[in-house]
Amino acid sequence: MSIIAHGIRTLGVVGAGQMGTGIALVGALRAKVPVLLHDRSPDQVKKGLSLVDKLLAKDVGKGRLTSEQAKETRDRISVVSDMKGLRDVDMVVEASVWCPIRPHCLVDRVAVSENLPLKQSIFASFVEELRPDAILATNTSSISITKIAASAIPGGVSAASEVGKQSAGRVVGI
């Protein structure tokens, strides 16, 4: 295996919507790392991967990529069925949104929004399922990173303690 300058050997992405699959595509294409994609909706995963395929085909058609480069990129993206499948990633990016009327968001393009309790639940799962040195990132544009980071502190641990500070310090916004 070759040395990767950025240090990320495997990237996880939670959320297979337009933003999540875009992040997965950039990780696979530009950083050239394996990407593990998770979404609790199999339909959304299917739609997200279809978008990746369309974008890669478009780049091939415009001469930006060869067919081989597109295939290699697509082969770097794998789907995992649950959070446990992300346990060995070096970094995970949360790109989830909340849909008030599932499954209508997938069909009728009902407005979706960021949801703090959803993100806190996801980050609490990260603490339980991922390696303690994994970088935890969120793609939020409207929620305080500090509020999300607080959910990455293990239960029973004070935020002021060294462990609490290290746990919350793993969370970054992108």
Side-chain angles (χ1 to χ4, degrees), residues 53-129:
D53 293 338
K54 285 179 191 175
L55 292 172
L56 289 170
K58 183 177 176 181
D59 281 352
V60 170
K62 290 187 174 196
R64 294 181 189 143
L65 294 175
T66 66
S67 294
E68 183 62 28
Q69 289 169 321
K71 182 184 180 324
E72 289 171 359
T73 297
R74 180 60 179 81
D75 288 347
R76 286 187 198 103
I77 302 173
S78 302
V79 175
V80 295
S81 60
D82 58 28
M83 292 286 202
K84 288 180 181 10
L86 300 171
R87 72 181 158 272
D88 293 323
V89 300
D90 298 299
M91 178 177 184
V92 65
V93 180
E94 170 275 324
S96 64
V97 291
W98 177 71
C99 175
I101 338 173
R102 275 200 186 267
H104 298 291
C105 295
L106 304 175
V107 178
D108 301 329
R109 298 196 181 269
V110 172
V112 296
S113 63
E114 293 192 287
N115 181 279
L116 179 59
L118 172 64
K119 292 181 184 287
Q120 288 173 322
S121 172
I122 290 169
F123 277 80
S125 294
F126 288 167
V127 170
E128 290 183 23
E129 303 295 343

